[in-house]
Amino acid sequence: MVDLILIDFNEFETIQNSLPLGVSLLAVSKGHDQESIRKLSGYGQIDFGESRLQEAVPKKNELNDLEQLRWHFVGTLQKNKVRGVIKEFDFIHSVDSLSLLERISRISQEEQKTPNLFLQVKFRHDPKKCGFLKEDLLNSWSKIIALKNVNLIGLMTIPPIALNSYQRKDLFCECRNLANHLGLKDCSMGMTNDWKEAVEVGATWIRLGSFLFGKRRT
Ligand SMILES: *Cc1c(COP(=O)(O)O)cnc(C)c1O
């Protein structure tokens, strides 16, 4: 058996240095313990992503001496978790419907918060993924920008698993173009297996999990 272990500081620096100016690295720490997060924060990493509220809260509590950390929610957000996520997270990458966005706006007003939001868009048919369809997003746009206590900063997308590298790059390009069209600065796109393609066509946030936390070594 080989253990899954964190990359070392030099490897981390190599990735950081390879990112163009304006591209931020989100370390997706779901499934990894607070000690791994602490170690990575010791390398200078500030932004961490989690996909389940129940998993994130105890880890955040253990790490609350690290005041510089910023927490990003990246998982499917269920209605009954909205209040908890708004209280615990600074960014939500996975706002996948108008009804969810309206709920976030309403609860954010009650909690006097203004979370930074990415709208998740589904550019291809994919039964496994949630997200706005491009047409629906465009049709709802005037309604969306009128919502209070939400800071809309960008779009997020995850390509269907079956795409090849060229098809993924096309999809990432579409996401960048739509964000530009809507006047949104950020695109959260690119994971361990496709972040280079995403960065080439304008990602501003890449979300890396196993690349940082789970590199196999014998
Ligand atoms: C788990 C996860 C990631 C990180 O995936 P890796 O392939 O391990 O880099 C990124 N984004 C989302 C939404 C995730 O759920």
Side-chain angles (χ1 to χ4, degrees), residues 69-85:
L69 299 192
R70 299 195 295 181
W71 293 92
H72 300 239
F73 191 82
V74 300
T76 303
L77 177 48
Q78 287 152 354
K79 279 186 181 162
N80 62 341
K81 300 286 163 53
V82 168
R83 192 176 301 275
V85 165

Side-chain angles (χ1 to χ4, degrees), residues 27-202:
V28 180
S29 47
K30 63 168 188 228
H32 299 281
D33 61 15
Q34 65 259 16
E35 281 317 307
S36 303
I37 298 173
R38 191 176 287 282
K39 276 190 203 152
L40 202 58
S41 82
Y43 298 171
Q45 179 64 26
I46 289 172
D47 292 284
F48 289 89
E50 289 284 335
S51 57
R52 288 172 60 241
L53 183 64
Q54 315 86 286
E55 180 185 335
V57 169
K59 287 198 239 177
K60 284 187 70 223
N61 289 339
E62 294 283 342
L63 294 164
N64 66 9
D65 56 308
L66 302 175
E67 288 171 6
Q68 75 275 24
L69 299 192
R70 299 195 295 181
W71 293 92
H72 300 239
F73 191 82
V74 300
T76 303
L77 177 48
Q78 287 152 354
K79 279 186 181 162
N80 62 341
K81 300 286 163 53
V82 168
R83 192 176 301 275
V85 165
I86 287 171
K87 285 184 177 171
E88 297 287 339
F89 289 83
D90 309 299
F91 294 78
I92 305 173
H93 290 240
S94 44
V95 182
D96 57 15
S97 70
L98 182 59
S99 62
L100 177 62
L101 180 60
E102 288 171 337
R103 192 182 188 88
I104 292 172
S105 170
R106 178 170 58 73
I107 296 178
S108 294
Q109 289 173 69
E110 291 169 11
E111 297 292 337
Q112 303 192 328
K113 294 261 190 182
T114 305
N116 300 301
L117 304 183
F118 295 84
L119 304 179
Q120 183 172 353
V121 183
K122 186 166 144 169
F123 288 95
R124 302 284 183 274
H125 176 71
D126 186 351
K128 292 218 175 73
K129 291 280 169 327
C130 306
F132 285 88
L133 297 178
K134 182 178 170 181
E135 309 77 65
D136 295 345
L137 184 60
L138 290 169
N139 289 335
S140 312
W141 193 243
S142 55
K143 217 180 211 176
I144 288 174
I145 57 174
L147 292 170
K148 290 183 184 157
N149 289 65
V150 290
N151 187 26
L152 298 172
I153 61 170
L155 302 181
M156 181 274 225
T157 196
I158 306 173
I161 198 107
L163 300 193
N164 68 34
S165 147
Y166 297 104
Q167 294 167 327
R168 280 200 300 264
K169 226 165 135 174
D170 276 351
L171 185 153
F172 290 145
C173 234
E174 269 181 60
C175 188
R176 182 68 263 176
N177 289 338
L178 181 59
N180 291 349
H181 176 73
L182 297 171
L184 298 172
K185 178 179 145 287
D186 286 300
C187 282
S188 168
M189 55 190 193
M191 303 168 36
T192 293
N193 292 320
D194 55 17
W195 64 275
K196 287 187 176 154
E197 295 149 20
V199 166
E200 279 178 43
V201 296

